[in-house]
Amino acid sequence: MEKFTKLKELLASVEADAEKFYNAGNSAAGTRVRKAMQDLKVLAQDIRAEVTEKKNSAK
């Protein structure tokens, strides 16, 4: 559950940069959004692996 909480916090932290990129055209904010999205992807993969491991160990 700790990783899921981290994922939510990361998504919330990138929201301001997404607003700046999409609404104000700030390209530096776009770079930060891309980095955050990559971090989210990695974290989501970790969560998937953890869930699968936990599910399979319960059998």
Side-chain angles (χ1 to χ4, degrees), residues 17-57:
D17 283 327
E19 293 258 348
K20 289 177 189 175
F21 176 71
Y22 286 109
N23 296 333
N26 183 334
S27 61
T31 302
R32 292 189 294 272
V33 170
R34 284 174 44 90
K35 183 189 181 313
M37 291 297 111
Q38 183 63 37
D39 293 345
L40 281 169
K41 178 184 171 190
V42 169
L43 196 49
Q45 283 295 111
D46 288 348
I47 292 170
R48 285 189 63 185
E50 189 176 276
V51 167
T52 300
E53 182 182 321
K54 186 173 178 89
K55 186 178 85 170
N56 290 340
S57 69

